[in-house]
Amino acid sequence: MPPAPYRLVFDSAVQPADPMILWIGVAGGILAVIVLALGVRIVQGYRNTRPRAGRMTWFVTLFIAVWAAAFIFGSIHQHARERALGAELAVGRVRAVEGCLDHYVPEPRSRALSTSTTTDEHWRVAGQEFSYGSGDMGRAFKASAVDNGPIRADSRVKLRYIVDPVTGMNRIVRLEVADGACPAAPWEEG
């Protein structure tokens, strides 16, 4: 019996930039403007031009400032990851691997849109570990089984990937899958 044919399911060369990265930065900028406006109110309160700012104003200002910083940092971090991906692709530091999965653990259905990596879908092929989840951002492959992704325990894969210089994780930039071409991979935790 001939091996099942591969089908191309992902290629980062044709993926547009992830708009979520931009929107996180925009949200951080909007929150920063709100913090600035509240800060002006607090300063004016100390200049006795208006009633002094209460504890709630201070609390809201600090709360929003923390969220603004987190959003802005997250956006900058994701932009750095995308620039690193582009740089690695530009200099040709792309690795290739092909074969049946050594182990496969799908992302739990209740995990959708979480950004925790502890419950990401992960699998290994030819000794290389690949992990991604529904909450991932960027142009690398991230379609888990929960999102009707193509990888199953019995898949044979042919892929190209880079080692992300920012996080050290393997990021898939091209993926071809042959469905049902292998025995089901064992289920390993950890």
Side-chain angles (χ1 to χ4, degrees), residues 164-175:
D164 188 332
V166 176
T167 63
M169 295 175 62
N170 292 334
R171 296 181 70 198
I172 301 169
V173 295
R174 183 179 169 89
L175 176 63

Side-chain angles (χ1 to χ4, degrees), residues 21-32:
I21 297 170
L22 173 66
W23 287 113
I24 288 174
V26 169
I30 291 169
L31 290 174

Side-chain angles (χ1 to χ4, degrees), residues 24-63:
I24 288 174
V26 169
I30 291 169
L31 290 174
V33 169
I34 293 170
V35 167
L36 181 64
L38 289 170
V40 167
R41 175 163 162 50
I42 290 170
V43 169
Q44 285 178 341
Y46 280 110
R47 290 188 176 168
N48 294 325
T49 58
R50 293 187 180 188
R52 189 169 267 213
R55 288 183 185 161
M56 189 58 152
T57 304
W58 277 101
F59 174 76
V60 169
T61 303
L62 291 174
F63 181 79

Side-chain angles (χ1 to χ4, degrees), residues 6 11 14 18 39 62 81 97 109 115 118 125 131 142 150 166:
Y6 284 108
D11 190 352
V14 297
D18 191 341
L62 291 174
R81 286 185 70 195
V97 70
R109 189 162 295 285
T115 56
T118 58
V125 61
S131 177
K142 58 186 168 260
V166 176

